[in-house]
Amino acid sequence: MNQLGVSRATLREALKTLEESRLIEGRPNVGWFVHAIDESNVAKARELARQDGSPAERSAANEPPTGPLRIPVAPEKPLHIPNLHTDRLGTFEFISWWEREKVQNAHVLVVGAGALGNDVIKNLALMGVGYIYIVDFDTIEAANLSRSVLFRESDNSRSKAEVAAARARALNPQVHVQYLNGDVMTQLGLGVIRRMDVVIGCLDNREARLAINRFCYWMNKPWVDGAIQELLGLVRVFVPGQGACYECTLTEAAIRDLSLRYSCPLLARQNILLGKVPTTPTIASIIGGIQSQEALKLINGMPVEPGKVIHYNGMVNEMHTTAYVPRADCESHWTYGVITEIPARAEHTTLEDLLRIARADLGAEAVIELDQELITSLFCPVCQTLEQVIKPLNTVSFEAGHCPTCGTLRETKLTHLITGEENFLHRTLANVGVPSLHILRAHNGQEYRFYELTGDLAEALHFHDFQPTEQPKPARGRIHLKDDPHANSAGTGPVSGRIKLHE
Ligand SMILES: [Zn+2]
Ligand SMILES: [Zn+2]
């Protein structure tokens, strides 16, 4: 360790990687033993050797160098002298590659409005990114105030997504915002991601990252992941079809750990909701800053390095980039084909309706694959009692999973396949946990079809939260000058009580 100047943890990681690649073998309390290189591990050895080494070796292996690359100048950018007195984005005009139209029309989804999310949202608003959609299920508490530039003491117990959206618009009234106070894994329709240019993950757990990764691959969208802990942080850009994805970066052990947790799905959900990571506002600014910058590059069509990780260590101020190896058998690597837009809505369309549509296209064999598991029954092994329920997994709490008689955690029976045999086909899609503007999958064993609930579009994706409403309709010509009671409560009304009257 002294010779190489590495920490115990780094060494342990390296040994683990070598062991997973069957290059060495660890025997507890004895030591490490090197395997001979043979057919079974030579490919892996080469792959690992390529990941490191001197710059000369790297370029020999046809890897682009990781140093600064020359930034291509957009040749079509017209010469424009901005008015710095009236144009808040004026100085950006002087940046050779910055394109106003692209930035002002950009749609960016920010998942998570915690420490990282606050910094990212602040940056996006300042940079004039036109359309910002914010998702978070959490509420603000005092401990968030030390790391969240958009929150105030008076915001205690309000929705993080809502407050962040309101403050983004206050920072820059030229941007359009929308928020969802909910869980990105189960409550955001894929049609929202389909209409985004970039997704930025400001998350603190693997489960949500894995979900975002799959959604972005399905919709063929780039996403920027960020992670922080104490003074360490990392940023990664993932672009479908270009290098490794998030799931490729997970070790066998991590994937095993995820599936272990899923063997008790109710407990898994509970743990995700409790996740807390110690962070500082400084590391959040650094990592959130890089994330926003990578998003801006993607928006402007600048080169990024997908499938690589930027590590930052604030303890020793070191920054380095490493490439991940894409896994050929990775579960995340597939994208939806042609998406059929149907004028249906999650609230009004039943499973039967959707099955009928799918069977018209795919024949009588067609089945629907739901993205979220449905609990069909809860069984108590002690009392031998079976309770029949039809509920999306996310609506059943860990507590409710316990037997009301003896308190034992009951076994859950789950399904996500709708075959037409079910006795609950009359239920609406919303009722079985399908979010509005979602895109559903159906197949007949040979072919997939994808159906978007486009009837939800106007309500599910509008980007006018906290925007002054059009024209208030004055009743009987007299206006009572009193605060609107709804003005401060939720996202539907205007946030500032003052509305300019035009009559
Ligand atoms: Zn992958
Ligand atoms: Zn019981």
Side-chain angles (χ1 to χ4, degrees), residues 380 382-383 385 403 405-408:
C380 176
V382 178
C383 309
T385 49
C403 174
T405 314
C406 72
T408 307

Side-chain angles (χ1 to χ4, degrees), residues 245 247-248 330 332-333:
C245 78
E247 190 169 347
C248 293
C330 178
S332 284
H333 298 188

Side-chain angles (χ1 to χ4, degrees), residues 115-162:
L116 271 182
N118 262 258
D119 255 85
V120 166
I121 293 160
K122 177 255 306 176
N123 289 334
L124 296 179
L126 290 180
M127 295 189 301
V129 168
Y131 299 86
I132 307 171
Y133 193 118
I134 302 166
V135 189
D136 199 306
F137 62 77
D138 212 358
T139 51
I140 298 167
E141 54 187 25
N144 301 130
L145 298 175
S146 61
R147 283 163 290 143
S148 310
V149 68
L150 303 175
F151 301 158
R152 308 283 174 268
E153 207 162 312
S154 55
D155 297 327
N156 212 328
S157 76
R158 290 179 69 192
S159 143
K160 285 184 180 175
E162 179 193 348

Side-chain angles (χ1 to χ4, degrees), residues 186-189 344-354 368 370 372-374 390-395 418 424-440 453 456 459:
T186 54
Q187 290 173 271
L188 185 77
R345 308 196 52 175
E347 288 278 356
H348 306 307
T349 311
T350 63
L351 287 166
E352 210 161 17
D353 295 335
L354 188 68
I368 298 165
L370 297 175
Q372 201 196 167
E373 297 288 336
L374 267 182
I390 303 293
K391 278 184 176 170
L393 181 58
N394 70 325
T395 61
I418 304 297
F424 53 88
L425 292 175
H426 60 282
R427 298 217 183 192
T428 64
L429 297 173
N431 190 273
V432 296
V434 175
S436 39
L437 196 59
H438 200 49
I439 301 170
L440 291 115
L453 305 173
D456 285 324
E459 267 181 47

